[in-house]
């Protein structure tokens, strides 16, 4: 485990200054790290992928609990240093650690066995795109626990009818059962962010909603519905369907009121609309 002094010492030795551009806020509290691993339900047989490992606080805790860990890090200095940190602090597990120095949004394959879990303190500025990309690219990921900005956590876990229900809520729900899994204060980070954080748990569905429409087609309806969220679906989907009349036809065929708004619909209803349009 890395304590506050360890984190600052490592950062100083590497000449690392956390940047806002990459949303870097390093966890310096060992109890928070243990809590994340526990809440993530990491098991001895798990192959865990971690995005944005930073200086390695969470990485070391995951390595102690899982069969193996693959960390994806975009920062050149951090990526170069992490294997040495693992070798120095957890030498008996070093061979079970792999590092991928890439942008997580561009990762399409990982070394070793397919990942079974994703556990990460995601950079706030790219949290939702990275999460959705990993869920789409690696269907073997059964369980996910991510730490994100509190408002993002609320959006991901929101249910239909909620004010914050939107594109992230629906798309995450396509892949998984999503729920809030706790709050994280600001003082456990260095530097302390000016926002609160939250944990989100995602347990992959055994299968996506049953539909003849593709995921891409369903997501196109979702994007169109929320692009103008104040409008009724008849109006919001006019561009997607070709006209307001065509949108109304698809909505009625799907059993959805043309006067409804996107925030009232489940992912299954979006799938029915996509299917009705063919």
């Amino acid at each position: 485990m890395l304590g506050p002094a360890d984190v600052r010492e490592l950062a100083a030795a590497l000449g690392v200054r956390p940047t806002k551009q990459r949303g870097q806020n390093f966890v310096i509290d060992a109890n928070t790290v243990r809590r994340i691993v526990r809440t993530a339900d990491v098991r001895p047989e798990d192959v865990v992928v971690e995005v944005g490992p930073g200086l390695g606080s969470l990485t070391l805790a995951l390595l102690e609990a899982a069969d193996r860990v693959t960390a994806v890090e975009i920062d050149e200095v951090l990526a170069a240093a992490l294997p040495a940190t693992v070798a120095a602090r957890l030498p008996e597990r070093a061979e079970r650690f792999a590092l991928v120095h890439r942008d997580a949004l561009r990762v399409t394959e990982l070394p070793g066995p397919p990942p079974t879990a994703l556990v990460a303190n995601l950079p706030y500025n790219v949290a939702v795109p990275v999460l959705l990309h990993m869920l789409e690219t690696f269907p073997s990921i059964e369980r996910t626990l991510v730490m994100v900005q509190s408002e993002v956590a609320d959006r991901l876990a929101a249910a239909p009818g909620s004010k914050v229900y939107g594109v992230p809520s629906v798309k995450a729900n396509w892949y998984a059962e999503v729920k809030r899994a706790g709050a994280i204060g600001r003082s456990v980070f260095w530097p302390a962010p000016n926002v609160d954080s939250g944990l989100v748990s995602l347990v992959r569905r055994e299968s996506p909603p049953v539909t003849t429409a593709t995921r891409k087609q369903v997501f196109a309806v979702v994007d169109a519905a929320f692009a103008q969220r104040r409008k009724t679906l008849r109006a919001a989907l006019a561009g997607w369907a070709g006209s307001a009349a065509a949108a109304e036809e698809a909505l009625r065929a799907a059993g959805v009121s043309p006067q409804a708004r996107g925030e009232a619909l489940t992912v299954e209803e979006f799938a029915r609309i996509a299917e009705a349009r063919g």
Side-chain angles (χ1 to χ4, degrees):
M1 295 286 186
L2 301 177
D6 299 315
V7 171
R8 290 190 173 91
E9 201 177 295
L10 262 175
L14 296 171
V16 167
R17 289 188 174 182
T19 70
K20 274 189 178 178
Q21 184 190 353
R22 286 191 172 155
Q24 290 171 331
N25 297 93
F26 302 132
V27 181
I28 56 173
D29 179 63
N31 286 331
T32 298
V33 168
R34 288 190 193 97
R35 179 184 159 200
I36 290 169
V37 174
R38 195 170 59 245
T39 307
D41 190 24
V42 175
R43 302 163 190 176
E45 67 274 16
D46 272 327
V47 177
V48 179
V49 58
E50 180 190 9
V51 175
L55 291 163
S57 301
L58 181 55
T59 313
L60 293 170
L62 288 169
L63 260 176
E64 286 180 341
D67 182 52
R68 54 185 64 237
V69 174
T70 299
V72 180
E73 177 58 69
I74 190 174
D75 186 291
E76 199 170 326
V77 175
L78 294 172
L82 193 53
T85 301
V86 170
R89 292 177 180 266
L90 215 56
E92 70 278 13
R93 305 290 290 168
E95 64 182 29
R96 295 183 171 274
F97 173 71
L99 183 112
V100 176
H101 173 34
R102 287 204 76 185
D103 178 347
L105 285 168
R106 300 183 185 283
V107 168
T108 54
E109 56 184 11
L110 295 167
T116 58
L118 165 65
V119 184
N121 168 22
L122 289 178
Y124 287 167
N125 49 352
V126 291
V128 171
V130 165
L131 173 63
L132 294 176
H133 171 74
M134 296 300 284
L135 290 172
E136 179 192 346
T137 308
F138 301 103
S140 59
I141 293 173
E142 300 161 5
R143 282 163 289 114
T144 295
L145 186 81
V146 290
M147 178 155 57
V148 294
Q149 189 174 330
S150 192
E151 288 155 15
V152 174
D154 288 340
R155 283 204 289 275
L156 283 167
S162 159
K163 281 183 181 176
V164 294
Y165 183 74
V167 172
S169 330
V170 184
K171 290 184 178 179
N173 204 242
W174 169 268
Y175 297 106
E177 300 292 337
V178 190
K179 64 176 185 179
R180 278 291 299 251
I184 304 282
R186 304 178 188 195
S187 62
V188 304
F189 296 97
W190 173 71
N194 54 10
V195 293
D196 292 321
S197 301
L199 297 174
V200 181
S201 160
L202 301 97
V203 177
R204 189 180 289 270
R205 292 168 175 260
E206 285 187 18
S207 59
V210 178
T211 175
T212 56
T214 65
R215 180 192 58 79
K216 236 177 190 172
Q217 288 170 331
V218 176
F219 282 14
V221 180
V222 175
D223 289 333
F226 287 102
Q228 306 173 75
R229 63 184 298 152
R230 288 171 186 271
K231 293 191 173 181
T232 64
L233 285 170
R234 184 183 191 277
L237 297 181
W240 163 80
S243 69
E248 178 165 347
E249 192 181 322
L251 287 160
R252 291 199 185 282
V256 175
S257 165
Q259 300 310 309
R261 287 177 170 76
E263 65 234 40
L265 269 57
T266 63
V267 66
E268 288 80 8
E269 286 171 314
F270 280 112
R272 290 210 306 268
I273 296 166
E275 195 174 303
R277 186 76 184 130

